Amino acid sequence: MTAILRNESAKLLRGALLLTGLFALLSAFFLAVFPGFAEEAAIIEEAFPPLLVGLLGFEELHTIEGFVGGYLYSIIWVLLTGIYFAYVSAGLIVEDIRTRRMDLTLSNPVSRESVVLQKVAALWVPLVALNVALFAVLFVGVTVIGETLDPVTLAMVHLLSIPYLLVCAGIGLVLSVTLDRVETAQTAALGFVFLLWLVEGVSTLDPDVEWIGALTPRRYFDPSAILVHEEYALGDAGILLGAFLVLLGIATVVFVRRDI
Amino acid sequence: MPAIQIADLTKRYGDITANDGVTFDVESGEIFGYLGPNGAGKTTTIRLLLGLINPTSGTANVLGADIRDRRALTATKADVGYLPDDLGFEERLTGRQALEYFARMRGDERRDELLELFNPPLDRRIETYSHGNKRMLGIVQAFMHDPDLVIMDEPTAGLDPLKQDRLYAFLEEEAGTGTTVFFSSHVLSEVQRICDRVGIIREGALVALEDIDVLLTQSGKDVWVHLAEPVDEERFVTPAMIDVEIVDRTARFTYTGEYNALLAHLVQFDIENIEIGDPQLDDIFKHYYGDDDPAEDHGDDGPAGER
């Protein structure tokens, strides 16, 4: 039974492609300024307030690895893409309930569990589109500006980011089955993921509160560490994957029991 | 076995009781009309039957599946058709794509035959559809998998009279081949026209459950007489007459007594013209609801209402 998966995938396609184009442009812009930026990187690193350095997690900004990991991935991938997945997922269920589409969907011999799983599975569309496109743009772009990035390391960034993005999606999904309005769910998801991102960044500034950051997904995905130090934190990815499954489980249980 | 068995079904939202101990059966192969004004709780019952909302207490069986048993109810839906009052189609799809979508989940062996009767513009996006076209698409999806039971919520809303007639004829044909039809309506004439039995719901509670013929018999006769002289109200009106309206030489009333007594009474007057007929269900309805206007009495979109 894949009718819902097919339908949802088609629905996500346009938005995913649009965002992919946008991010590709943004990445190209970031890369274009790198050569000039690298020369003054040391001064810039000095000049940046420590708060901002901590927030974005800069490291070795004058190298292409540090620049891509600390700047480009930290903003485009961890923050913006995370928000996108939370936002899209937050609309998955509640929108269908509000528009009464769910009534018709559930008049078919399909269980509510299956509805949730197929809808979440449809996230493969933006997941694949964004990963493939950004990888390609970066790999080609870096070569064009005369630098080199190890494609394996770059691929690992993308691979290990998937559990992170799924957790963001899980947060949106839980909000989607608990809140009654599309706008509320999506705004809450967007705000919540941004807040988590911010909390982790701020928590690294003070050892006393650093533990708080361990409760946010960003702590378990560090593009800089992967690109600069080639540290592949598989355990952390496992934690994120586990968190996603827990969120998915909660969302399913809530959705199966609730009134529509 | 009855197609639908409803036993003491109750649904409360806080202080509001949308369905209050509703109990009745719908037999296989019958056309059952579920009647009540907007906000009476018709849609609540239907959404309970489909498992979209959970009962506060009581239960129901749909084609043998208990609505509290999600797995059984899900499996049963392969044999159930549903036409909601508010048609939530995927608007960006064309009619054809929407039917494909439903066909993948439950089959469409009767699609072509239905599209000859109800013909929405299949190659246009649903967002451009009129109410009537959406309703037709809804009818096709509700019947295309040849269900044993079809549950319809205000099925004729938005349909033009020709298509309404076509739907009535089609429903009668379907019931003739054993399909059970359960539909809600606040349009009394359509219920009168095609239903075998009706249940009347008011403020969440079932207030009447009758064969349509019995309901009409019990509700007396609608009588209109035109006399040669102005009507002498004191002499003319008997206790068996209700809803009496007298204008000069004309009297109109609902007669609830013995027919012989009525005729014996009427021969005392010089009658120029007379009509005796079945009352409209609207009039019967008024008796169950009393004189107050139910729409004012119980807001159209009140929370006890159609959700």
Side-chain angles (χ1 to χ4, degrees):
Chain A
M1 197 82 98
T2 56
I4 298 173
L5 172 61
R6 288 169 66 167
N7 184 50
E8 293 293 320
S9 301
K11 224 159 74 177
L12 287 175
L13 188 62
R14 190 188 287 191
L17 290 181
L18 196 74
L19 196 70
T20 301
L22 223 65
F23 280 4
L25 270 177
L26 201 60
S27 311
F29 174 74
F30 267 73
L31 284 178
V33 302
F34 177 72
F37 179 87
E39 286 167 25
E40 295 162 37
I43 309 166
I44 292 170
E45 267 178 279
E46 293 267 308
F48 259 128
L51 180 73
L52 210 57
V53 175
L55 261 187
L56 295 172
F58 289 156
E59 260 184 290
E60 308 278 329
L61 262 193
H62 60 281
T63 66
I64 186 72
E65 289 86 359
F67 179 78
V68 168
Y71 221 168
L72 215 148
Y73 275 102
S74 179
I75 293 174
I76 293 188
W77 207 247
V78 176
L79 183 60
L80 297 183
T81 314
I83 284 178
Y84 170 75
F85 273 87
Y87 182 85
V88 165
S89 307
L92 283 179
I93 303 289
V94 66
E95 193 184 346
D96 278 21
I97 294 178
R98 288 299 285 194
T99 57
R100 304 294 289 273
R101 277 204 292 265
M102 195 57 85
D103 286 25
L104 271 182
T105 304
L106 290 177
S107 75
N108 294 292
V110 57
S111 67
R112 292 195 189 186
E113 290 88 343
S114 173
V115 172
V116 175
L117 293 179
Q118 291 190 59
K119 277 177 167 278
V120 171
L123 291 174
W124 74 271
V125 172
L127 218 47
V128 168
L130 286 166
N131 274 302
V132 169
L134 208 64
F135 176 87
V137 166
L138 277 182
F139 190 68
V140 172
V142 165
T143 314
V144 167
I145 61 170
E147 298 279 346
T148 50
L149 259 184
D150 182 6
V152 177
T153 325
L154 194 60
M156 280 311 278
V157 175
H158 284 276
L159 191 66
L160 293 177
S161 76
I162 289 175
Y164 169 80
L165 295 176
L166 287 178
V167 168
C168 295
I171 291 169
L173 193 67
V174 168
L175 292 168
S176 195
V177 296
T178 44
L179 297 178
D180 283 338
R181 285 176 198 281
V182 185
E183 307 78 35
T184 321
Q186 291 192 319
T187 313
L190 190 154
F192 194 53
V193 167
F194 178 66
L195 195 74
L196 288 175
W197 182 86
L198 211 60
V199 164
E200 203 279 336
V202 173
S203 77
T204 56
L205 299 179
D206 186 343
D208 284 347
V209 295
E210 208 191 339
W211 62 272
I212 297 177
L215 301 175
T216 69
R218 186 184 169 196
R219 177 64 58 87
Y220 303 94
F221 171 60
D222 185 353
S224 287
I226 299 170
L227 283 167
V228 178
H229 308 297
E230 296 188 16
E231 287 171 6
Y232 305 148
L234 297 177
D236 284 357
I239 291 173
L240 289 176
L241 217 49
F244 163 67
L245 292 176
V246 169
L247 290 169
L248 181 61
I250 293 172
T252 309
V253 168
V254 172
F255 179 61
V256 164
R257 286 157 184 267
R258 65 166 283 177
D259 282 358
I260 284 169
Chain B
M1 199 182 70
I4 300 176
Q5 291 172 292
I6 301 179
D8 206 21
L9 197 59
T10 300
K11 179 67 181 174
R12 290 201 189 87
Y13 296 98
D15 293 342
I16 296 150
T17 306
N19 267 195
D20 188 2
V22 174
T23 302
F24 63 90
D25 290 353
V26 177
E27 299 299 329
S28 283
E30 85 171 324
I31 303 183
F32 187 93
Y34 197 42
L35 210 55
N38 291 327
K42 303 186 296 287
T43 301
T44 300
T45 307
I46 287 178
R47 302 183 87 242
L48 281 165
L49 290 177
L50 289 158
L52 296 171
I53 50 179
N54 301 303
T56 308
S57 66
T59 189
N61 273 4
V62 176
L63 297 177
D66 191 317
I67 57 168
R68 294 169 305 180
D69 179 351
R70 294 207 169 276
R71 197 166 298 218
L73 190 63
T74 298
T76 296
K77 285 176 183 171
D79 300 317
V80 176
Y82 173 43
L83 178 66
D85 56 339
D86 199 350
L87 282 157
F89 288 117
E90 196 84 63
E91 302 260 316
R92 72 190 163 87
L93 298 181
T94 64
R96 193 182 306 283
Q97 287 168 332
L99 291 180
E100 289 293 337
Y101 171 61
F102 292 117
R104 274 184 215 116
M105 288 190 270
R106 53 177 145 90
D108 63 345
E109 57 263 40
R110 295 187 64 187
R111 191 206 305 198
D112 295 340
E113 168 198 347
L114 284 156
L115 285 171
E116 280 171 25
L117 292 173
F118 307 101
N119 45 2
L122 285 184
D123 293 316
R124 275 176 29 204
R125 283 175 191 269
I126 296 171
E127 60 201 0
T128 68
Y129 275 25
S130 64
H131 286 303
N133 281 334
K134 263 194 202 172
R135 189 65 52 188
M136 284 199 282
L137 190 66
I139 293 168
V140 173
Q141 66 81 29
F143 281 93
M144 71 181 183
H145 55 301
D146 199 16
D148 299 332
L149 166 68
V150 181
I151 297 176
M152 302 191 285
D153 202 350
E154 306 277 356
T156 52
L159 283 185
D160 64 54
L162 184 75
K163 292 290 186 325
Q164 284 186 15
D165 287 340
R166 204 171 274 185
L167 178 64
Y168 298 146
F170 175 72
L171 290 180
E172 276 168 345
E173 226 171 86
E174 287 306 293
T177 62
T179 306
T180 310
V181 178
F182 176 91
F183 79 90
S184 79
S185 180
H186 67 275
V187 183
L188 306 155
S189 56
E190 73 182 14
V191 171
Q192 187 172 3
R193 181 161 163 187
I194 60 166
C195 285
D196 303 315
R197 283 198 308 148
V198 293
I200 299 179
I201 182 171
R202 179 190 188 186
E203 290 179 11
L206 198 72
V207 292
L209 182 68
E210 301 283 7
D211 282 352
I212 196 88
D213 299 334
V214 173
L215 199 66
L216 292 172
T217 317
Q218 280 185 349
S219 305
K221 291 284 173 188
D222 203 22
V223 184
W224 177 88
V225 284
H226 190 72
L227 303 184
E229 298 163 6
V231 181
D232 174 359
E233 190 168 338
E234 214 152 280
R235 200 173 138 236
F236 184 82
V237 176
T238 71
M241 297 178 186
I242 55 173
D243 290 345
V244 184
E245 282 173 50
I246 294 172
V247 181
D248 191 30
R249 295 190 294 156
T250 304
R252 182 184 192 133
F253 56 92
T254 304
Y255 190 76
T256 58
E258 287 284 317
Y259 297 148
N260 282 332
L262 171 67
L263 296 176
H265 177 68
L266 287 177
V267 292
Q268 304 169 52
F269 300 89
D270 188 3
I271 293 175
E272 284 191 344
N273 202 350
I274 186 165
E275 272 179 36
I276 300 179
D278 287 328
Q280 289 296 304
L281 253 171
D282 291 279
D283 298 325
I284 300 172
F285 209 52
K286 269 187 210 138
H287 298 160
Y288 284 106
Y289 278 98
D291 289 328
D292 38 308
D293 182 355
E296 282 173 24
D297 176 55
H298 207 75
D300 267 0
D301 48 6
E306 305 282 35
R307 313 241 134 202

